[in-house]
Amino acid sequence: METAPWIARGADGPHLLGSRCTACGAVSFPPDRAHCRDPHCPGGDPVVAALPRRGRIWSFTDCRYPPPPPYVPPTDPFEPFVLVAVELDGPGPIVLGQAPPGTALSSLRIGAPAELVEGTAAGPEGRRFPVWQWRPLPDGGGDAQTAGGVR
């Protein structure tokens, strides 16, 4: 399978490619090669940067109905899937992506660690396309919020 333009593979696994401003250090995803997205930046040239592979779950939900086209459901009938927003370690942005198939919504917690993994998405005519996914990791602490509310 071809490598998507937003991902690079390193010795430690896949990384999303973002941009980092040379003037203010702001990091963005997807990369913006034209200008810094920080409205307070005096102006700098963005450079492509590999983003951290890990972060903490910032938010999550499930998708119980098929999104509109161009989304192609991987199963018929449609099976719900989990979406996870992860705040990347370091000066990284919050990046939304699917969790790997089989991830239970009830197993996720705000503040729990997650790492980037590669997956595939269904496309027209049975084609598969590379995508990033957020795999939850065993929790070493974090916030008390869960799918059921706040303790």
Side-chain angles (χ1 to χ4, degrees):
M1 180 181 332
E2 65 193 56
T3 300
W6 37 258
I7 199 162
R9 291 183 181 93
D12 59 343
H15 290 264
L16 292 176
L17 296 176
S19 56
R20 182 178 323 275
C21 177
T22 56
C24 72
V27 178
S28 60
F29 178 81
D32 189 334
R33 292 174 170 88
H35 63 279
C36 179
R37 292 186 186 160
D38 183 339
H40 303 292
C41 180
D45 296 321
V47 294
V48 174
L51 301 178
R53 298 188 63 238
R54 293 187 175 196
R56 296 269 171 191
I57 295 174
W58 185 79
S59 185
F60 58 91
T61 191
D62 57 350
C63 187
R64 297 207 162 265
Y65 57 90
Y71 178 79
V72 176
T75 59
D76 187 16
F78 171 79
E79 292 180 19
F81 57 89
V82 174
L83 292 171
V84 182
V86 173
E87 184 173 19
L88 301 182
D89 290 344
I94 296 169
V95 179
L96 181 67
Q98 288 187 16
T103 301
L105 189 68
S106 62
S107 71
L108 301 177
R109 285 188 341 102
I110 301 296
E115 78 175 340
L116 179 79
V117 295
E118 291 181 84
T120 61
E125 302 167 6
R127 291 185 62 205
R128 303 294 294 176
F129 295 91
V131 295
W132 69 87
Q133 296 177 336
W134 294 113
R135 178 176 61 197
L137 296 172
D139 193 10
D143 199 299
Q145 286 187 327
T146 65
V150 178
R151 286 192 296 191

